[in-house]
Amino acid sequence: MSTDTLLDLSHVSVTFDGFRAINDLSLSLMPGEMRAIVGPNGAGKTTMMDIITGKTRPDTGVVRFHDHDLTKLDEPAIARLGIGRKFQKPTVFEALTVRDNLLLSLKGLRSPFALLFARKTNEEADRIENLLRTIRLGSSADDLAGGLSHGQKQWLEIGMLLGQEPDLLLVDEPVAGMTDAETMETADLLREINQTRSVVVVEHDMEFVRALNVKVTVLHEGSVLAEGTLDQVSNDPRVIEVYLGR
Ligand code: ADP
């Protein structure tokens, strides 16, 4: 392992009821990098994210983030180290405005009711304005989150995660269900976020992965099958075989 690595999975394996979902997986991410993870259904992408965030503990192997061995930590401790995870389905508070969703996240509050007793500092107000610009929701700031489009809800949830200032953002299929325009806007959004944070994106949509224009890791049967640019991996005969089943 290079000492410069931000995240390093080394020979990680996980078995569920005798089935090896992650099989001697090794993968490294450099600080400031954005990586796309692709692979057929069942390849182990979600399980890999679960291992990084501490939801699933590997049977063997080491997962390092900075100088920490994540396999020794629980989910809240890993989140506090600066790893934020965006699940596929947006989970915003629909009855709150966009702005109040962001405030809740900045304050680290879990219940909308807590906002009744919370006062917004000037610093928080400035950060919210910045976040609104980043997530393209400035003109919807005072709208209820429940009225946003699916894509806008995804952006709001990304904004809520950014409010927690993660060093590493893990994003699971962000553009599933988005319009083409929202998909391309999301690629731009993630590229902007990547100017200050590292990002790992799991995604099936290859047009989106192309727009990200980053190194791609192909997972298959719980290990890395290929790595490189999207063109390199999509011309790799082993990748073609796995996707086309020949
Ligand atoms: P992907 O996200 O690439 O589609 P997953 O990580 O969800 O793949 O799953 C990898 C394999 O592990 C699949 O065959 C899945 O059925 C299996 N698996 C995942 N989680 C569990 C679990 N909790 N118990 C049993 N099998 C699981």
Side-chain angles (χ1 to χ4, degrees):
M1 174 190 123
S2 157
T3 50
D4 300 334
T5 318
L6 175 70
L7 175 73
D8 194 81
L9 284 78
S10 180
H11 302 289
V12 173
S13 294
V14 173
T15 302
F16 296 119
D17 302 327
F19 175 77
R20 192 166 272 224
I22 295 290
N23 185 12
D24 198 32
L25 173 66
S26 294
L27 187 149
S28 300
L29 191 78
M30 301 303 281
E33 185 178 348
M34 173 152 64
R35 180 76 57 85
I37 310 284
V38 304
N41 278 339
K45 303 181 295 295
T46 306
T47 308
M48 185 194 85
M49 300 282 242
D50 289 347
I51 290 170
I52 296 169
T53 54
K55 191 172 173 202
T56 296
R57 210 169 278 277
D59 303 329
T60 54
V62 176
V63 182
R64 288 204 166 274
F65 178 68
H66 293 298
D67 292 331
H68 304 272
D69 180 353
L70 300 187
T71 61
K72 305 268 189 291
L73 301 175
D74 62 12
E75 278 185 277
I78 291 172
R80 282 196 299 273
L81 284 180
I83 298 184
R85 180 176 189 181
K86 160 92 188 74
F87 287 92
Q88 194 176 339
K89 204 166 169 285
T91 50
V92 299
F93 292 99
E94 306 228 330
L96 293 183
T97 64
V98 168
R99 198 188 296 280
D100 280 350
N101 268 279
L102 293 172
L103 179 62
L104 205 66
S105 139
L106 285 192
K107 288 192 172 290
L109 301 173
R110 287 173 187 279
S111 154
F113 299 109
L115 275 186
L116 294 173
F117 309 101
R119 293 193 53 195
K120 183 165 41 180
T121 65
N122 288 340
E123 194 223 330
E124 283 166 345
D126 288 348
R127 287 180 63 201
I128 288 172
E129 292 312 308
N130 282 334
L131 285 170
L132 285 166
R133 262 193 301 278
T134 304
I135 60 175
R136 282 96 167 128
L137 290 179
S139 59
S140 311
D142 297 312
D143 296 349
L144 293 183
L148 298 176
S149 73
H150 169 74
Q152 288 173 320
K153 284 182 190 169
Q154 297 285 41
W155 298 341
L156 175 55
E157 200 185 11
I158 290 173
M160 291 168 75
L161 283 169
L162 292 178
Q164 292 154 27
E165 302 281 353
D167 285 348
L168 172 62
L169 189 62
L170 308 176
V171 196
D172 200 349
E173 296 192 35
V175 302
M178 282 192 186
T179 64
D180 289 350
E182 286 173 339
T183 297
M184 288 302 124
E185 196 67 43
T186 304
D188 285 347
L189 169 57
L190 290 180
R191 284 154 54 113
E192 276 171 45
I193 291 170
N194 180 232
Q195 288 170 9
T196 50
R197 298 166 209 286
S198 306
V199 184
V200 173
V201 194
V202 167
E203 188 50 68
H204 285 290
D205 183 325
M206 289 302 152
E207 284 309 310
F208 171 74
V209 172
R210 183 170 297 287
L212 289 178
N213 192 22
V214 295
K215 184 169 170 183
V216 177
T217 296
V218 185
L219 290 194
H220 175 56
E221 295 181 348
S223 31
V224 174
L225 180 70
E227 256 176 6
T229 64
L230 182 60
D231 283 335
Q232 283 168 344
V233 299
S234 49
N235 287 311
D236 185 318
R238 292 167 305 171
V239 175
I240 295 170
E241 187 180 321
V242 160
Y243 270 94
L244 299 183
R246 273 189 260 123

